[in-house]
Amino acid sequence: MSNRRDFLKKAGIVGAGTAVIGAPAVVTAKQTIKWRLQTYAGPALAEHVIKPAIDAFNKAANGEMVIELYYADQLVPTGELFRAMQKGTIDAVQSDDDSIAAPVDVSVFGGYFPFATRYSLDIPVLFEEYGLKEIWEEAYGEVKGVTWLSAGAWDPCHFATVDPITKLSDLKGKRVFTFPTAGRFLSRFGVIPVTLPWEDVEVAVQTGELDGIAWSGITEDYTVGWADVTNYFLTNNISGAWAGSFFANTERWEALPDHLKTLFRLCMDSSHYYRQHWYWGGEAKLRTQGTKMKLTTIPDDEWRKVELEAYKFWDEIAETSPRAKRVINIFKEYASVMEKAGKPYRYS
């Protein structure tokens, strides 16, 4: 055994290009890394917003790592996702900061922050070109146990309702499923925000518990079945794109070898890209070719009141923390640039 050990040591330092005939094969067994990732989305929606990227990751990882994908509320309620990830109950999350109750002062900007965006491309530009990425990294760097990884755009925020909405007063008293911050803003117009498990929304509309949904654009309404239980789609929106992110338990993320981190980042980017064309094309196609929902519109001059109220809301949020104010200042700067640039960046 002593001679064998000496032989193996010498074999390990043989110069490059030198073959050792008869050297025994030394195989190091590697245990597959396994992660559990939960998304905010139900199964039908997840087929588009995340499953293709996770399937691609698992294939490309070639047995070194496997990510098990779980859907909305499947392991833990969406509102508890941050804490569950922090504790290591789950390893990663795809959601918006707002819905998972992230304890950071930028969480209010996750999901649908009113009128911060007009188009889906606004979100990657804001993060990559205007400094939001660095602000998010800074904010989550102050919280132990969770690492923010990447943000991307989803669909715009429209109302899908049982009864038609043609003027602002029609919103009063409507019980609507929506995101926390969006609901907080819409309550100024008489909307009653309702929080439910995602999978219960369709039945809640059918039973009359909900009057409508302000959680998505028309693509999701058709994809997840909400177009089957609502009759009208309001073409006005309070946000041009939902801002969602990928997060991971810090310890599990830092334990990954660099090549798997790189692979995961590439797959996040592929997820972001897929949604850009799927939503953009779907919103137009279903408005013009969809048969399940009638389109309604609140006149521009009346909807302008909602936009102006949103800017007051911005200023209120800016007072909540210095970092929130930095984000609001970026939104204002970006809006000014887009307005000055004119068509096709902004039409009004």
Side-chain angles (χ1 to χ4, degrees):
M1 288 297 296
S2 178
N3 289 338
R4 186 181 178 188
R5 288 192 195 97
D6 291 339
F7 177 78
L8 291 175
K9 288 179 182 178
K10 292 175 183 177
I13 60 172
V14 171
T18 304
V20 180
I21 300 174
V26 179
V27 179
T28 302
K30 290 186 177 180
Q31 186 174 0
T32 300
I33 300 169
K34 291 186 178 181
W35 272 21
R36 298 197 300 178
L37 185 155
Q38 184 170 310
T39 177
Y40 73 98
L45 181 58
E47 284 290 331
H48 293 278
V49 300
I50 190 169
K51 191 173 184 297
I54 298 303
D55 287 346
F57 178 91
N58 288 339
K59 183 176 181 180
N62 198 31
E64 287 188 61
M65 181 172 174
V66 173
I67 298 176
E68 298 172 352
L69 178 62
Y70 294 87
Y71 305 120
D73 306 305
Q74 195 169 358
L75 294 178
V76 296
T78 296
E80 298 175 15
L81 279 175
F82 188 92
R83 297 302 182 191
M85 180 170 43
Q86 197 173 40
K87 293 177 181 177
T89 305
I90 53 177
D91 304 297
V93 165
Q94 181 206 40
S95 184
D96 68 283
D97 323 60
D98 199 22
S99 295
I100 65 174
V104 292
D105 52 6
V106 296
S107 64
V108 68
F109 303 111
Y112 291 121
F113 192 75
F115 293 98
T117 60
R118 299 300 180 97
Y119 308 113
S120 58
L121 275 175
D122 290 340
I123 287 176
V125 173
L126 281 163
F127 273 86
E128 300 298 330
E129 306 293 337
Y130 277 74
L132 292 194
K133 177 182 176 181
E134 289 74 19
I135 291 176
W136 258 245
E137 289 173 340
E138 174 190 291
Y140 282 92
E142 297 171 1
V143 180
K144 291 184 179 180
V146 171
T147 298
W148 174 85
L149 298 174
S150 178
W154 273 253
D155 50 343
C157 182
H158 292 262
F159 283 87
T161 54
V162 175
D163 297 321
I165 304 294
T166 59
K167 54 186 182 297
L168 275 182
S169 59
D170 290 336
L171 295 175
K172 291 182 179 179
K174 292 290 188 294
R175 293 159 297 178
V176 174
F177 174 70
T178 189
F179 291 88
T181 298
R184 178 177 161 189
F185 173 68
L186 290 171
S187 65
R188 298 182 178 214
F189 303 96
V191 171
I192 302 171
V194 178
T195 302
L196 289 172
W198 190 91
E199 62 184 8
D200 295 342
V201 172
E202 185 173 343
V203 173
V205 175
Q206 291 174 305
T207 60
E209 185 180 352
L210 288 175
D211 299 304
I213 301 155
W215 204 83
S216 69
I218 200 168
T219 306
E220 286 190 16
D221 291 334
Y222 273 77
T223 301
V224 306
W226 294 339
D228 297 325
V229 296
T230 56
N231 302 316
Y232 298 93
F233 179 83
L234 183 65
T235 59
N236 312 80
N237 68 59
I238 67 162
S239 177
W242 185 76
S245 293
F246 286 87
F247 309 83
N249 172 275
T250 299
E251 185 177 347
R252 298 306 302 275
W253 174 252
E254 292 180 349
L256 290 184
D258 286 343
H259 70 286
L260 289 179
K261 288 180 180 177
T262 299
L263 179 59
F264 191 72
R265 290 191 183 281
L266 289 171
C267 286
M268 287 190 293
D269 286 344
S270 74
S271 175
H272 296 330
Y273 170 72
Y274 180 97
R275 292 190 309 274
Q276 286 282 352
H277 63 76
W278 183 63
Y279 280 123
W280 184 255
E283 296 300 301
K285 182 178 181 179
L286 290 170
R287 281 192 186 201
T288 57
Q289 300 177 29
T291 59
K292 296 180 180 180
M293 307 170 78
K294 295 180 181 179
L295 304 184
T296 63
T297 301
I298 295 175
D300 289 343
D301 58 345
E302 191 173 3
W303 193 250
R304 178 65 175 165
K305 298 175 185 176
V306 181
E307 186 174 359
L308 293 175
E309 190 65 29
Y311 296 145
K312 294 178 185 177
F313 185 71
W314 285 19
D315 289 335
E316 292 172 14
I317 296 299
E319 296 304 314
T320 60
S321 77
R323 188 154 47 215
K325 189 169 186 176
R326 286 162 58 196
V327 174
I328 293 297
N329 286 341
I330 288 173
F331 286 162
K332 290 181 177 180
E333 176 193 359
Y334 183 73
S336 175
V337 170
M338 294 296 108
E339 292 291 342
K340 290 177 182 176
K343 298 176 182 179
Y345 296 95
R346 293 292 184 266
Y347 283 85
S348 61

